[in-house]
């Protein structure tokens, strides 16, 4: 089957209906949550305090400046005992009032906020300012109860105002959007601040201020904080894309231009939407609800493809912006509960639950077929948050079992002697020496509330709203005096549509009196993931004793097969890039039995593809070894399932490249005299890969490189292809053939354009350049002390994935398949042209040095440092190794490396 790229979007369910959890079980799990919190909190206090965070593997505190920089991640650290402040209201929620009182005294005694340090405005606001306000709310509540905190005189509130004033200079921009960073002592202006030069910020960074700043204004009576937060929200609203009513991910704080125009509900945007709705709940301003509802309608129209939530472009919202999702979007089902839109919340949560069960934790990013995209998991609480809110809304004990799964996985895989360690790779179970403050601030709150009854709480949580960091702010603030000078938001009468207020802020105690309701939503999209839970075979219609069409028999150009698919609710969509998309809608099947056949057909497609891809080959390397590159440039290439196995070749295949004619390689090669003895360059498309290989082999080529014909494609943003055969015996193909995306292929073509002779080495991994030039005088750049390309890391993890690009489909979508069209020959299962290989550990191409291999690429400072080293070392090459014609290629490589580093930085900033 050619180019099978499919998404199985069938969600999981238990074999039998969920049973009510006994009070004894709930009590046991609730006590387990408290024990786990004690383990994390006490280890922080014993081994890390007064440092900002605990390093649980080495049992010590993380002090900024004393530990190796982690880039922007460290902007949350401000030498203000972050974890303790972030944990204050958690102590009260878990009924640890004595510990809370002691913690407050510690904060007042030890914490200073006038440190000469640059911090993230966003992180400091939600974690520190929010933590101080949440602690103040709890202290006031306990004092009014007459038992604890009788000595308290609003000291935490005074600290909060001090911090708020230190954050205010960041809002001194023409737009009102804050700078992303501020110096706690010096602000943003002047050389001593070491900040204030940034031009961009994320939408969530600017739009997740209103709850904390408005609460601070209303607690203190000073309107300046709320006014600045409202101004920032007003500007973001004005800059939304008016046709789609979506916002981008990154915006210029001075001009208001969108820097990144992709839009979703995950990293970079997430809490902007959350704070619009919660600002309405906390402050009672209908305008915030109106804006949220307008955004929400567009989210459900363009981004939501239940159960998936896929980023789109704000100007072309029908165009997907990526083929993967990030873990931060796991908060969204909880927000949908607050909105009152329960059905998609249940569906998306179920998808997330299946990913969690598959990998033990939510990977930091995962593909639309639920494979790992980014393997880290920093103990994020968003899935637990949504689990709690869905249980609160439905009363379904299914979510108690989901909570038990979270607890079990944390104890089994993340617990270490000195706390809980983030997962470096969910596939291998390796740890990272970090325990972020949000783990204590959020995770244990939501898990405790999930298993707690009203009598287990020292206060009524219904009287409070959770911030994005799960800090508790009292709803009584909506009636607190606030200045009339705060401008009210205006909107047109046309936008003020009462229908936008429907299904908002439901009374969750009454909305779903029947706990079976969410189960009834899950049942139609029951998962095929858990194969140990087979369903009973339903009674079939007369004459339908077996599925009417098996995956191994399917041919995309067979009219009878297309009619059978139609009866099963499976439709074909012809995409512009030449692929055919299969989409199943259970509601469009002619009967329930036919719908079951459609589900089974899609499952067989997945299994068939898995059987054909048992041997997942790792990426290969194309190393440019001729002047002036001398092995410095390595392009990561997709392998083929036929031809020479480069992993079994100690030397690889080396030769000069030549463009084949015709470029497609789909007919007899006309420039045989040039191709013979060379490595042929070919363009993807028009025929099978194996046919291209046979044609250049017949012409005498010693290898082939297929370059993608999709302009702009890059391994930076899409998984590599693994080329498969054409369904026939491919043992006759004896030369190596590799695949490059358009961006990487263009580097090779530009080099060929500048230098008429370009020699490359095709191998299973990058070779040491000293080995490449063994027996020959080393070029000037290869003398002792020069930069060399080390051999690729042994055991590098690669993973099969399925890049997808599909049009939005109905919410009844259950599964999707994409096939690459081939005409006129038949499409059979064995004619799988392409599968994908995703390299998790490195970008698509690298200009590397040994130091780079030894340092984390996500550290922006390290990347820049190595870039400078490369420039200086390349500058030491003898004059004979450069000429005027090399400048354009050098510039190309410099631009390419800059793009690559920017992409790394972008991915890091997102999460």
């Amino acid at each position: 089957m050619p180019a099978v790229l499919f998404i199985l979007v069938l969600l999981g369910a238990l074999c039998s209906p969920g049973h009510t959890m006994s009070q004894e079980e709930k009590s046991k799990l609730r006590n387990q949550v408290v024990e786990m919190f004690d383990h994390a909190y006490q280890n922080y206090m014993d081994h890390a305090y007064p440092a900002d965070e605990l390093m649980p593997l080495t049992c010590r505190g993380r002090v900024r400046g004393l530990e190796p920089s982690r880039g922007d991640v460290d902007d949350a650290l401000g030498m203000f005992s972050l974890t303790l402040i972030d944990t204050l209201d958690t102590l009260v929620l878990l009924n640890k009032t004595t510990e809370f009182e002691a913690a407050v005294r510690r904060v007042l005694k030890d914490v200073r906020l006038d440190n000469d340090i640059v911090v993230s405005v966003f992180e400091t606001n939600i974690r520190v300012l929010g933590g101080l306000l949440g602690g103040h709310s709890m202290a006031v509540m306990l004092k009014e109860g007459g038992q604890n905190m009788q000595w308290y005189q609003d000291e935490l509130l005074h600290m909060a105002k001090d911090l708020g004033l230190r954050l205010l200079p960041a809002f001194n921009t023409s737009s009102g959007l804050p700078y992303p960073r501020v110096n706690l002592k010096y602000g943003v202006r002047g050389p001593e601040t070491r900040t204030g030069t940034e031009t961009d910020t994320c939408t969530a960074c600017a739009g997740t201020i209103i709850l904390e700043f408005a609460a601070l204004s209303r607690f203190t009576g000073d309107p300046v904080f709320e006014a600045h937060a409202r101004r920032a929200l007003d500007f973001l609203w004005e800059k939304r894309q008016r046709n789609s009513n979506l916002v981008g991910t990154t915006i210029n704080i001075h001009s208001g231009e969108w820097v990144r125009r992709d839009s979703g509900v995950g990293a970079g945007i997430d809490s902007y939407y959350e704070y619009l709705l919660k600002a309405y709940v906390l402050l009672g301003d209908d305008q915030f609800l109106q804006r949220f509802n307008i955004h929400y309608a567009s989210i459900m129209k363009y981004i939501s493809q239940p159960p998936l939530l896929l980023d789109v472009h704000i100007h072309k919202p029908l165009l997907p912006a990526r083929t993967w999702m990030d873990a931060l979007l796991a908060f969204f089902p909880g927000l949908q509960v607050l909105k009152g839109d329960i059905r998609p919340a249940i569906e998306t949560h179920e998808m997330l639950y299946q990913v969690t069960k598959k990998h033990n934790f939510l990977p930091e990013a995962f593909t639309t077929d639920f494979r790992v995209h980014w393997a880290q998991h920093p103990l994020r609480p968003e899935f637990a948050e949504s689990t709690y809110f869905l249980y609160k809304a439905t009363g379904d004990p299914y979510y108690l079992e989901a909570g038990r799964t979270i607890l079990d996985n944390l104890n089994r895989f993340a617990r270490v002697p000195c706390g809980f360690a983030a997962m470096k790779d969910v596939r291998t179970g390796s740890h990272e020496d970090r325990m972020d403050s949000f783990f204590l601030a959020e995770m244990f709150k939501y898990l405790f509330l999930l298993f707690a009854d009203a009598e287990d709480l020292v206060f009524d949580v219904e009287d409070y709203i959770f911030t994005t960091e799960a800090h508790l702010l009292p709803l009584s603030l909506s009636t607190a005096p606030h200045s009339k000078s705060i401008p009210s938001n205006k909107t047109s009468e046309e936008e003020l549509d009462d229908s936008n207020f429907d299904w908002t802020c439901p009374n969750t105690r009454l909305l779903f009196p029947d706990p079976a309701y969410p189960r009834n939503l899950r049942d139609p999209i029951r998962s095929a993931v858990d194969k140990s839970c087979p369903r009973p075979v339903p009674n079939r219609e007369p004459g339908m004793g077996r599925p009417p069409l098996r995956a191994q028999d399917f041919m995309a150009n067979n009219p009878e097969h297309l009619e059978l698919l139609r009866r099963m609710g499976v439709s074909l969509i012809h995409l512009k890039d030449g692929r055919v998309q299969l989409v199943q809608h259970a509601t469009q099947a002619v009967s329930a039995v036919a719908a079951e056949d459609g589900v089974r057909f899609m499952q067989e497609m997945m299994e068939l593809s898995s059987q054909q891809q048992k041997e997942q080959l790792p990426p290969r390397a194309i190393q440019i070894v001729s002047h002036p590159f001398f092995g410095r440039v390595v392009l990561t290439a997709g392998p083929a399932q036929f031809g020479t196995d480069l992993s079994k070749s100690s030397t690889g295949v080396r030769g000069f490249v030549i463009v084949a004619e015709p470029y497609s390689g789909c007919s007899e090669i006309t420039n045989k005299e040039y191709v013979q003895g060379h490595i042929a360059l070919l363009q993807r498309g028009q025929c099978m890969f194996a046919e291209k290989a046979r044609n250049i082999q017949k012409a005498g080529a010693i290898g082939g490189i297929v370059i993608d014909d999709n302009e702009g494609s890059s391994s930076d943003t899409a998984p590599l292809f693994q080329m498969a055969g054409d369904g026939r015996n491919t043992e006759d193909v004896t030369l190596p053939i590799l695949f490059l995306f358009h961006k990487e292929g263009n580097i090779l073509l530009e080099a060929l354009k500048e230098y008429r002779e370009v020699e490359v080495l095709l191998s299973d991994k990058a070779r040491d350049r000293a080995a490449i030039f063994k027996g020959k005088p080393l070029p000037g750049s290869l003398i002792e002390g020069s930069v060399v390309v080390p051999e690729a890391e042994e055991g590098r993890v690669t993973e099969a994935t399925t890049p997808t690009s599909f049009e939005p489909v109905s919410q009844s979508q259950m599964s999707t398949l994409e096939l690459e069209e081939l005409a006129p020959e038949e499409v059979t299962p064995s004619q799988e042209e392409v599968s994908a290989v995703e390299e998790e550990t490195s970008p698509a191409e690298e200009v590397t040095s040994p130091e780079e291999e030894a340092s984390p690429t996500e550290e922006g400072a390290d990347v820049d440092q190595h870039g400078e080293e490369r420039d200086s070392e390349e500058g030491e090459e003898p004059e004979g190794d450069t000429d005027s014609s090399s400048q354009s290629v050098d510039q190309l490589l410099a631009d390419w490396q800059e793009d690559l580093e920017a992409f790394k930085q972008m991915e890091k900033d997102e999460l």
Side-chain angles (χ1 to χ4, degrees):
M1 183 179 308
V4 179
L5 307 175
F6 59 89
I7 311 166
L8 189 63
V9 192
L10 303 174
L11 300 184
L14 298 179
C15 292
S16 58
H19 299 292
T20 302
M21 182 177 288
S22 68
Q23 286 299 319
E24 183 181 358
E25 286 181 283
K26 287 182 65 177
S27 178
K28 180 180 178 181
L29 292 171
R30 183 172 62 251
N31 292 335
Q32 186 177 1
V33 173
V34 175
E35 184 279 328
M36 293 167 65
F37 170 82
D38 288 340
H39 178 66
Y41 178 71
Q42 202 56 53
N43 272 288
Y44 165 75
M45 296 304 297
D46 291 345
H47 300 293
Y49 183 81
D52 284 315
E53 289 180 345
L54 169 68
M55 299 174 68
L57 299 183
T58 53
C59 301
R60 57 196 172 100
R62 183 180 297 280
V63 179
R64 192 169 173 184
L66 299 183
E67 302 294 335
S69 172
R70 300 177 298 170
D72 292 348
V73 176
D74 284 339
D75 286 345
L77 311 180
M79 301 176 68
F80 35 37
S81 301
L82 173 63
T83 297
L84 183 61
I85 292 177
D86 221 359
T87 308
L88 288 176
D89 50 6
T90 306
L91 289 165
V92 180
L93 185 71
L94 271 59
N95 201 13
K96 295 180 174 293
T97 53
T98 301
E99 291 88 340
F100 171 74
E101 191 159 353
V104 172
R105 291 186 184 276
R106 281 182 180 267
V107 169
L108 299 178
K109 172 176 169 287
D110 298 337
V111 174
R112 294 187 55 180
L113 298 174
D114 60 346
N115 303 315
D116 180 12
I117 193 168
V118 176
V119 296
S120 162
V121 173
F122 167 74
E123 297 289 356
T124 305
N125 174 67
I126 65 171
R127 300 201 205 188
V128 186
L129 182 57
L132 292 171
L133 293 172
H136 170 69
S137 300
M138 295 294 98
V140 170
M141 180 270 298
L142 290 173
K143 182 178 181 180
E144 291 175 351
Q147 299 264 332
N148 303 89
M149 303 296 294
Q150 296 304 300
W151 55 270
Y152 182 69
Q153 298 294 325
D154 295 344
E155 289 88 349
L156 290 178
L157 180 59
H158 299 325
M159 287 186 68
K161 184 173 182 180
D162 180 24
L163 180 60
L165 292 172
R166 295 179 185 280
L167 295 178
L168 277 184
F171 292 81
N172 187 20
T173 61
S174 58
S175 66
L177 299 179
Y179 283 95
R181 298 173 186 84
V182 66
N183 187 299
L184 288 177
K185 188 171 184 177
Y186 297 112
V188 295
R189 297 294 175 86
E192 69 276 8
T193 67
R194 305 185 304 282
T195 188
T197 59
E198 303 93 338
T199 59
D200 305 334
T201 193
C202 72
T203 301
C205 299
T208 312
I209 306 290
I210 186 64
L211 292 189
E212 292 82 4
F213 269 40
L216 182 57
S217 282
R218 299 192 181 203
F219 273 132
T220 63
D222 187 346
V224 65
F225 306 104
E226 184 172 345
H228 277 87
R230 284 178 177 265
R231 184 184 176 210
L233 277 180
D234 290 346
F235 190 83
L236 289 174
W237 172 251
E238 288 300 316
K239 291 300 178 180
R240 75 191 187 281
Q241 211 291 321
R242 297 304 178 96
N243 292 324
S244 66
N245 280 316
L246 296 173
V247 291
T249 302
T250 308
I251 191 171
N252 185 294
I253 60 176
H254 303 296
S255 68
E257 295 294 322
W258 291 110
V259 179
R260 286 186 50 199
R261 295 177 171 83
D262 47 314
S263 183
V265 296
I269 301 179
D270 48 2
S271 49
Y272 163 69
Y273 294 132
E274 177 185 5
Y275 268 38
L276 281 178
L277 181 55
K278 289 184 176 180
Y280 161 70
V281 176
L282 180 65
L283 307 177
D285 188 338
D286 289 349
Q287 185 60 67
F288 291 124
L289 176 61
Q290 176 68 21
R291 292 179 179 180
F292 171 80
N293 282 327
I294 291 172
H295 280 315
Y296 186 78
S298 293
I299 291 170
M300 299 309 291
K301 181 177 181 180
Y302 300 118
I303 295 170
S304 176
Q305 300 181 34
L308 306 180
L309 292 163
L310 295 174
D311 284 18
V312 299
H313 297 275
I314 59 175
H315 293 90
K316 296 181 179 179
L318 297 178
L319 182 64
R322 60 170 63 154
T323 60
W324 46 270
M325 295 168 281
D326 65 73
L328 286 172
L329 62 75
F331 90 101
F332 197 67
L335 188 64
Q336 289 179 306
V337 170
L338 186 60
K339 161 69 178 170
D341 199 1
I342 307 297
R343 179 176 186 134
I346 291 172
E347 293 171 334
T348 298
H349 179 276
E350 181 67 8
M351 178 268 292
L352 296 169
Y353 189 24
Q354 294 307 316
V355 176
T356 298
K357 292 202 294 186
K358 186 173 183 180
H359 302 294
N360 299 320
F361 299 97
L362 272 182
E364 198 70 328
F366 52 94
T367 61
T368 50
D369 63 340
F370 316 136
R371 299 175 186 267
V372 172
H373 184 69
W374 294 334
Q376 306 94 327
H377 174 76
L379 306 182
R380 293 201 184 276
E382 284 78 13
F383 178 66
E385 175 185 357
S386 290
T387 302
Y388 161 65
F389 281 113
L390 271 168
Y391 177 67
K392 186 176 178 65
T394 65
D396 188 348
Y398 182 84
Y399 297 109
L400 296 177
E401 295 299 332
R404 189 204 300 267
T405 299
I406 298 171
L407 283 182
D408 290 346
N409 288 343
L410 284 172
N411 275 322
R412 289 176 58 199
F413 303 110
R415 187 165 183 148
V416 293
C418 285
F420 291 85
M423 306 305 297
K424 186 175 182 179
D425 193 316
V426 297
R427 298 162 301 185
T428 64
S430 58
H431 290 119
E432 188 175 354
D433 199 6
R434 67 186 282 195
M435 188 179 80
D436 291 84
S437 68
F438 55 67
F439 181 61
L440 286 164
E442 300 183 66
M443 181 70 81
F444 295 110
K445 275 197 187 85
Y446 292 123
L447 290 177
F448 183 81
L449 288 170
L450 179 64
F451 299 113
D453 296 318
E455 56 269 23
D456 301 315
L457 303 173
V458 296
F459 62 94
D460 187 355
V461 292
E462 297 289 347
D463 294 334
Y464 297 82
I465 192 167
F466 288 105
T467 69
T468 195
E469 190 78 3
H471 292 307
L472 293 154
L473 299 178
L475 294 177
S476 58
L477 288 174
S478 62
T479 59
H482 58 285
S483 172
K484 299 296 184 182
S485 65
I486 297 176
S488 60
N489 299 315
K490 301 295 183 182
T491 187
S492 66
E493 293 183 4
E494 181 181 357
E495 290 177 336
L496 284 173
D497 181 359
D498 286 344
S499 65
N500 280 322
F501 292 81
D502 293 345
W503 294 100
T504 301
C505 299
N507 183 339
T508 55
R509 293 172 179 169
L510 302 176
L511 188 58
F512 299 115
D514 180 10
Y517 176 76
R519 186 176 72 246
N520 293 337
L521 289 182
R522 288 191 298 266
D523 285 348
I525 46 177
R526 194 173 295 172
S527 175
V529 175
D530 189 359
K531 296 184 180 180
S532 64
C533 200
R535 287 174 284 170
V537 179
N539 294 326
R540 302 194 61 80
E541 296 176 355
M544 297 183 69
R546 50 171 284 174
L549 180 63
R550 306 303 299 269
Q552 61 263 34
D553 302 324
F554 173 66
M555 291 184 291
N557 58 351
N558 187 316
E560 293 182 5
H561 289 182
L562 299 181
E563 173 61 21
L564 290 173
L565 291 185
R566 186 193 66 78
R567 292 179 58 81
M568 294 188 293
V570 180
S571 57
L572 270 73
I573 301 174
H574 296 266
L575 303 179
K576 293 180 180 179
D577 60 3
R579 290 178 295 176
V580 175
Q581 181 184 56
L582 295 180
V583 182
Q584 199 223 2
H585 305 263
T587 57
Q588 295 181 9
V590 297
S591 67
V593 174
E596 289 284 333
D597 290 338
V599 172
R600 187 173 293 106
F601 175 80
M602 302 297 271
Q603 294 175 12
E604 289 179 354
M605 280 289 191
M606 181 176 69
E607 294 169 1
L608 181 64
S609 178
S610 297
Q611 293 171 5
Q612 294 175 340
Q613 300 175 40
K614 287 181 180 179
E615 183 182 0
Q616 292 296 342
L617 302 178
R620 305 305 189 202
I622 298 177
Q623 200 163 356
I624 307 180
V625 299
S626 56
H627 163 79
F629 307 98
F630 301 119
R632 287 197 306 268
V633 175
V634 182
L635 307 177
T636 304
Q641 294 181 341
F642 56 89
T644 300
D645 184 354
L646 291 171
S647 66
K648 298 179 180 179
S649 172
S650 59
T651 59
V653 174
R654 181 170 174 173
F656 290 90
V657 296
I658 188 73
V659 176
E661 295 179 6
Y663 190 22
S664 68
C666 292
S667 59
E668 185 175 351
I669 304 301
T670 58
N671 59 337
K672 293 181 181 180
E673 65 277 16
Y674 299 106
V675 169
Q676 186 174 9
H678 290 72
I679 296 173
L681 301 182
L682 306 157
Q683 187 177 49
R684 181 189 176 198
Q686 301 184 31
C687 65
M688 306 295 283
F689 291 118
E691 183 177 347
K692 299 175 188 288
R694 290 188 179 98
N695 286 331
I696 61 172
Q697 180 173 286
K698 184 178 179 181
I702 60 173
I705 299 173
V706 178
I707 299 174
D708 194 11
D709 60 342
N710 183 17
E711 186 171 352
S713 67
S714 170
S715 294
D716 292 344
T717 55
L720 287 173
F721 281 114
Q722 177 174 293
M723 299 181 290
D726 57 1
R728 295 184 288 165
N729 190 324
T730 55
E731 292 182 359
D732 59 312
V733 179
T734 58
L735 50 68
I737 185 166
L738 301 178
F739 176 86
L740 289 177
F741 276 109
H742 185 271
K743 180 179 178 181
E744 294 85 345
N746 196 50
I747 292 172
L748 195 57
L749 292 173
E750 286 294 325
L752 187 61
K753 184 178 179 181
E754 293 289 336
Y755 305 95
R756 300 184 64 178
E757 292 188 344
V758 173
E759 188 178 17
V760 301
L761 174 65
L762 312 183
S763 58
D764 63 329
K765 56 187 177 183
R767 304 290 179 178
D768 187 301
R769 286 184 289 169
I772 295 175
F773 294 94
K774 185 176 181 180
K776 300 180 181 180
L778 294 180
S781 62
L782 299 179
I783 61 174
E784 184 178 355
S786 65
V787 180
V788 298
V789 178
E791 292 194 356
E793 180 182 345
E794 294 294 336
R796 173 172 288 178
V797 179
T798 61
E799 177 179 340
T801 187
T802 56
T804 59
S805 177
F806 56 89
E807 300 296 324
V809 295
S810 166
Q811 292 186 7
S812 61
Q813 173 182 338
M814 293 182 64
S815 53
T816 304
L817 285 165
E818 291 182 358
L819 311 174
E820 187 164 332
E821 282 191 293
L822 287 176
E825 64 182 344
E826 290 186 348
V827 179
T828 63
S830 59
Q831 289 177 319
E832 178 175 324
E833 180 182 0
V834 177
S835 61
V837 172
E838 176 182 1
E839 182 181 88
E840 297 287 349
T841 57
S842 67
E845 64 272 358
E846 300 176 353
V847 181
T848 60
S849 68
E851 293 86 355
E852 284 179 298
E853 290 288 333
S855 63
T857 59
E858 58 264 42
E859 295 181 14
D862 290 347
V863 173
D864 292 340
Q865 177 182 350
H866 295 316
E868 293 172 5
E869 291 174 0
R870 279 195 305 274
D871 292 342
S872 63
E873 287 167 352
E874 289 178 11
E876 294 173 0
E877 293 183 13
E879 294 182 3
D881 285 342
T882 60
D883 55 34
S884 59
S885 65
S886 69
Q887 293 178 359
S888 58
V889 171
D890 290 342
Q891 183 62 45
L892 174 68
L893 293 175
D895 293 343
W896 162 57
Q897 182 65 17
E898 182 179 343
D899 290 344
L900 179 59
E901 293 174 357
F903 180 78
K904 295 176 186 175
Q905 183 71 25
M906 180 188 73
E907 287 190 327
K908 174 171 64 64
D909 287 346
E910 272 194 283
L911 298 177

